[in-house]
Amino acid sequence: MTALAASGPVATRDVVRPAARALRVALVGNPNCGKSTLFNALTGRRQRVANYPGVTVERVEGSYVRDGASVTVLDLPGTYSLSPDSPDEAIALDVVHGRARGIDPVDVMVVVLDAENLERHLFLATQVLELGLPAVLVLNRSDRLAAAGMSIDVVELIHTLGAVVVPAVATTGEGIERLRHAIARAVQLPKSWMSERPLDAAGGPGARYRWIASVMARTVTRAPRTGRSMSDRVDAVLLHGAWGPLIFLSVMAIAFQALFTVAHPLADGMQAILNAGAAGLRATLPAGNLQSLLVDGVLGGVGSVLVFVPQIAILFLFIGVLEDSGYLARAAFVMDRYMRPLGLQGKSVIPLLSGYACAVPAILATRTIQHTKERLATTMVVPLISCSARLPVYALLIAAFIPATSVAGFFTLQGIALLAMYLLGTVAALGSAMLFRRTILRSATRALIIELPPYVLPSARVLAATVWQRVAVFLRRAGTVIFAISVLLWALESYPRATRAAAADVQLSQSALGHIGHAVEPAVRPLGLDWKIGVAMAASFAAREVFVSTMATMYGVSRGSGESGALAGRLREARGADGRLSYSRAAAFGLLAFYVFALMCTSTIAVTVRETGGGWRGVGWAAFQFTYMLALAWGSAFMVYRAGLAIGLGGFA
Amino acid sequence: MPLRRLKRWWNAWSAAPARVACAVDCAVDCDVERSGDCALAACKAGACATVLRVTCAALDAHRLSTLGVYEGAIVSVVDRRSGVLLDVCGTRLALNDAIAGAILVRPVAA
């Protein structure tokens, strides 16, 4: 490690520095110090997101031009100190020490301090100053000092610390120009005296805090606080033992309703535009391979990527509002007690609940969980929660095989069956999480230590930037894979070509996908199913709802309105070559169980690969996820089918 | 009858496990160094205390110290209903009962 560092970027820092090289600046600061807002104010729209090599920590970079020279700004993850505690903080540490792989050494450190909480934030600042790199301290939110009855003697602070201190207000842009000027000058200024006399030498964090307290006494005057702050009064309700979780669940319920009512029309609108494009292509191009490739392959592939965009944008807008307003920390604290017995933490609730809408944004949402193993466990079980794509499959099979017999007035057997599907998925997800955290993802339970930042109104600019970053990352990393897979599935469905003008069901059964269906028949036979289901299962790897349209094609039901109702009837009466009913009720129940548990979603697999570290590591986790869910699905389908036969559900009454 | 059982179950579930009846500000419930010293978990809302010792895992103790809970720090308890909500140099820090039980404090007059 030491040898590597010595021969790596550290050694080259002073040797190779071409005059024209862009100045590199790193922003460090505690979480909740307004660092992202400051980053946005400094760089504007010129930003890009990448991952640090080998880990899933975001690397956000931006740039601005000053006096004709470009300045690159690296926004480091929020950290309380310069010691490796979580992966985020370890990255910040590596970058600061110039030993992060693939990252050029930093020329100037900018430490962002919340002026209102100077005492706590100076802890990190003094550690950074001790490194001896050129550094600029920013007193962010300095406009709030007057309202808080505080004043800071900035000149005294500069003298005491031996470093440049710039008051600024990131939300209004005040002081940003001064900060840019200070950054440009920082390289020429002498090092802070602190780099020669580190405070830690005297003895631990206590010594550092005692020194900071003496600095505070000299530089900060504070009017005595009267009464409870607004945040405390709000917290008195939101952190209540009973009300807290209830309020949180209500907030989530509203958010998911918004997800459905806003995202679905947007997705439908996009689909309509794509359909119009498809119709245009059909009209202009002659029918044939090229038309099929462009319309069903390419446009279909684009559609399968774009359909996720509104959901991801809305979910991250919502998470952004929760996080930036300060509520997410409270929710994590309040829900922790309920998630702890499962081996998860309070923050796992958001991805798990998002899973009811769609596993893809839900897995992206696990990024708020800092602890690696808890995050992995959450990622592994999220796809077990019944997402909205399973609903058409449930609806079709329940309509076909479960009578609408009324039970206790308002409720029917069909409604109860649907509820049972959702419960089954939820229980399986929570149970698996518990199992994983006790076996392969075992770690000592972490103590719950959360800082609750004061409530603030989120900045629209930061929110917009966050949402755009998320969508861009999804499109670039997962979108390309999802697109490629949908085109591949189109090819499997369309080739080899059957004789000209063959009916759709004949073409499907003779295609490569049809052959796959036949090939998997031995695997679905023990479940009481036939090759046609095998084809539909294989096709539904693109997205589960494709099961319905594939079955419609197989049974010659025209696509479009009323497809599901007519198809349900066909399925119920379908007969095999021997004249016997194709699907018994027991087999249908088994199939339902299969769809509750199986990971029939290439988009989820693509996102899991990316979010669990990418490369072979990510592929390994995704393969594990797929395999355990398939085993669970097949096993429970088999048990349900056998149990169904045993209690006499082998046929129809 | 089932309702009563449900209520009992709910109380057991939602009650803080390490809640200790407090006579004055703090009850004597841990390895006592001096009469009055106690675990942070035993302090009532509104109490002010000096941290004497942090006896949890080293990593957590380190994290606590970077957040301002170090030996010698003065903290005050803001809320005590779910876990412990602390005021540490003006910031709010939420701890669960397990970790608050591992912090030995000496109450001081607020």
Side-chain angles (χ1 to χ4, degrees):
Chain A
M1 187 72 176
T2 326
L4 192 88
S7 62
V10 173
T12 59
R13 183 196 294 279
D14 296 319
V15 184
V16 191
R17 188 182 280 164
R21 195 173 78 92
L23 194 67
R24 289 184 61 83
V25 177
L27 286 188
V28 284
N30 284 14
N32 320 309
C33 66
K35 194 164 55 70
S36 308
T37 320
L38 190 80
F39 176 73
N40 275 298
L42 263 180
T43 62
R45 278 157 206 264
R46 300 153 65 102
Q47 302 179 1
R48 64 195 187 90
V49 189
N51 265 22
Y52 289 97
V55 286
T56 47
V57 178
E58 299 267 272
R59 167 186 168 187
V60 186
E61 264 187 23
S63 63
Y64 63 88
V65 179
R66 193 189 152 82
D67 300 336
S70 171
V71 179
T72 310
V73 185
L74 184 63
D75 187 15
L76 292 176
T79 173
Y80 289 111
S81 70
L82 284 187
S83 41
D85 195 1
S86 70
D88 289 31
E89 301 195 0
I91 282 292
L93 189 68
D94 284 352
V95 171
V96 169
H97 284 308
R99 54 173 187 235
R101 251 193 309 148
I103 310 235
D104 293 334
V106 170
D107 303 308
V108 181
M109 301 293 299
V110 173
V111 189
V112 188
L113 310 164
D114 181 353
E116 270 190 279
N117 290 311
L118 195 57
E119 190 168 359
R120 248 278 308 290
H121 289 214
L122 274 177
F123 189 87
L124 175 69
T126 53
Q127 285 187 323
V128 172
L129 289 177
E130 285 169 7
L131 294 172
L133 276 174
V136 177
L137 310 191
V138 184
L139 277 185
N140 193 20
R141 297 176 180 157
S142 49
D143 57 330
R144 293 210 215 146
L145 289 174
M150 282 173 72
S151 69
I152 298 176
D153 185 346
V154 177
V155 178
E156 178 64 28
L157 197 60
I158 291 173
H159 281 290
T160 315
L161 297 173
V164 185
V165 180
V166 181
V169 186
T171 44
T172 60
E174 198 188 315
I176 297 298
E177 210 32 57
R178 240 177 310 161
L179 173 60
R180 288 186 179 145
H181 179 72
I183 291 171
R185 293 280 313 279
V187 195
Q188 298 143 18
L189 293 174
K191 290 176 183 176
S192 164
W193 62 268
M194 300 189 91
S195 58
E196 266 117 60
R197 271 186 291 152
L199 294 165
D200 265 3
R208 190 179 293 277
Y209 266 113
R210 275 189 289 279
W211 186 78
I212 290 170
S214 74
V215 175
M216 291 291 288
R218 256 176 294 154
T219 56
V220 179
T221 47
R222 190 195 301 254
R225 248 175 291 173
T226 48
R228 294 199 304 167
S229 73
M230 193 64 193
S231 281
D232 281 342
R233 265 176 284 170
V234 175
D235 276 343
V237 181
L238 292 185
L239 295 183
H240 189 267
W243 287 115
L246 279 180
I247 292 171
F248 172 67
L249 289 178
S250 319
V251 169
M252 292 304 284
I254 293 168
F256 290 123
Q257 192 53 50
L259 206 61
F260 277 106
T261 49
V262 182
H264 275 244
L266 281 177
D268 290 348
M270 277 195 220
Q271 196 57 54
I273 294 170
L274 288 175
N275 286 348
L281 280 177
R282 276 209 188 86
T284 47
L285 289 174
N289 285 340
L290 181 66
Q291 193 212 55
S292 177
L293 169 69
L294 289 181
V295 174
D296 300 321
V298 175
L299 278 183
V302 169
S304 56
V305 174
L306 286 188
V307 76
F308 293 113
V309 170
Q311 295 194 37
I312 289 172
I314 291 173
L315 184 66
F316 277 99
L317 177 66
F318 171 68
I319 292 179
V321 170
L322 287 192
E323 198 162 12
D324 294 356
S325 67
Y327 183 60
L328 189 67
R330 271 89 180 169
F333 178 58
V334 161
M335 295 310 290
D336 192 81
R337 176 187 301 174
Y338 303 95
M339 302 309 287
R340 195 161 280 261
L342 303 171
L344 299 177
Q345 54 168 270
K347 281 187 181 172
S348 305
V349 174
I350 290 175
L352 287 176
L353 289 177
S354 309
Y356 288 104
C358 178
V360 171
I363 288 175
L364 294 175
T366 58
R367 280 176 180 259
T368 54
I369 305 170
Q370 279 116 9
H371 189 35
T372 317
K373 286 189 175 173
E374 286 167 5
R375 183 174 162 187
L376 263 174
T378 313
T379 306
M380 287 299 116
V381 304
V382 154
L384 281 173
I385 305 267
S386 286
C387 62
S388 57
R390 283 175 174 95
L391 196 56
V393 182
Y394 292 163
L396 171 69
L397 292 175
I398 288 176
F401 295 101
I402 293 177
T405 317
S406 172
V407 188
F410 174 71
F411 299 100
T412 64
L413 269 186
Q414 292 186 336
I416 292 171
L418 189 62
L419 179 67
M421 296 302 116
Y422 276 88
L423 281 181
L424 198 58
T426 310
V427 169
L430 298 182
S432 309
M434 211 154 118
L435 185 71
F436 292 154
R437 288 285 289 142
R438 277 163 179 68
T439 52
I440 51 167
L441 292 171
R442 197 190 185 104
S443 68
T445 27
R446 280 215 144 192
L448 181 72
I449 306 165
I450 308 181
E451 188 198 351
L452 305 183
Y455 290 102
V456 287
L457 203 63
S459 137
R461 264 177 73 182
V462 174
L463 282 179
T466 317
V467 169
W468 170 241
Q469 278 173 13
R470 286 279 145 268
V471 171
V473 165
F474 168 76
L475 287 179
R476 200 168 57 236
R477 299 208 206 123
T480 44
V481 179
I482 296 171
F483 174 78
I485 289 169
S486 6
V487 173
L488 178 72
L489 272 167
W490 162 82
L492 290 176
E493 210 175 284
S494 316
Y495 297 94
R497 281 259 179 248
T499 48
R500 283 157 60 82
D505 56 329
V506 177
Q507 161 62 35
L508 192 53
S509 81
Q510 290 187 359
S511 68
L513 202 63
H515 288 291
I516 293 173
H518 282 289
V520 300
E521 196 177 8
V524 297
R525 238 322 120 210
L527 309 178
L529 304 169
D530 63 1
W531 68 271
K532 288 188 175 182
I533 299 274
V535 173
M537 275 184 185
S540 67
F541 268 89
R544 289 183 184 87
E545 62 267 35
V546 171
F547 177 85
V548 179
S549 54
T550 310
M551 289 303 275
T553 309
M554 308 277 284
Y555 281 96
V557 178
S558 65
R559 296 191 182 198
S561 59
E563 172 191 85
S564 188
L567 183 58
R570 290 283 178 88
L571 284 183
R572 203 178 306 132
E573 279 134 35
R575 282 170 196 279
D578 53 358
R580 287 170 49 196
L581 282 169
S582 294
Y583 312 114
S584 67
R585 206 179 273 186
F589 291 170
L591 186 59
L592 269 172
F594 186 88
Y595 266 88
V596 170
F597 296 128
L599 180 51
M600 312 283 278
C601 182
T602 43
S603 310
T604 304
I605 297 172
V607 170
T608 302
V609 171
R610 296 292 176 180
E611 292 299 303
T612 51
W616 286 113
R617 201 182 127 76
V619 169
W621 278 113
F624 167 73
Q625 187 184 43
F626 179 76
T627 315
Y628 100 83
M629 287 179 66
L630 188 67
L632 191 61
W634 197 91
S636 40
F638 182 74
M639 281 195 296
V640 168
Y641 175 57
R642 285 285 149 188
L645 287 186
I647 60 168
L649 292 173
F652 284 92
Chain B
M1 193 59 185
L3 201 70
R4 196 175 301 165
R5 194 174 300 167
L6 200 69
K7 202 172 164 191
R8 207 181 313 146
W9 175 82
W10 169 253
N11 284 341
W13 174 260
S14 58
R19 190 161 292 170
V20 182
C22 289
V24 207
D25 248 348
C26 287
V28 183
D29 190 53
C30 39
D31 50 325
V32 185
E33 297 221 320
R34 210 184 80 169
S35 159
D37 295 351
C38 67
L40 185 60
C43 293
K44 273 185 176 173
C48 222
T50 311
V51 177
L52 293 180
R53 245 186 317 139
V54 180
T55 58
C56 54
L59 197 66
D60 293 326
H62 173 78
R63 194 170 159 75
L64 278 172
S65 72
T66 63
L67 286 163
V69 182
Y70 53 91
E71 288 168 16
I74 296 179
V75 299
S76 68
V77 180
V78 178
D79 196 340
R80 191 59 201 83
R81 285 169 307 175
S82 48
V84 180
L85 184 60
L86 287 182
D87 181 319
V88 185
C89 26
T91 57
R92 293 285 173 277
L93 203 61
L95 311 175
N96 62 355
D97 289 300
I99 191 96
I103 301 173
L104 185 70
V105 296
R106 176 169 303 162
V108 292

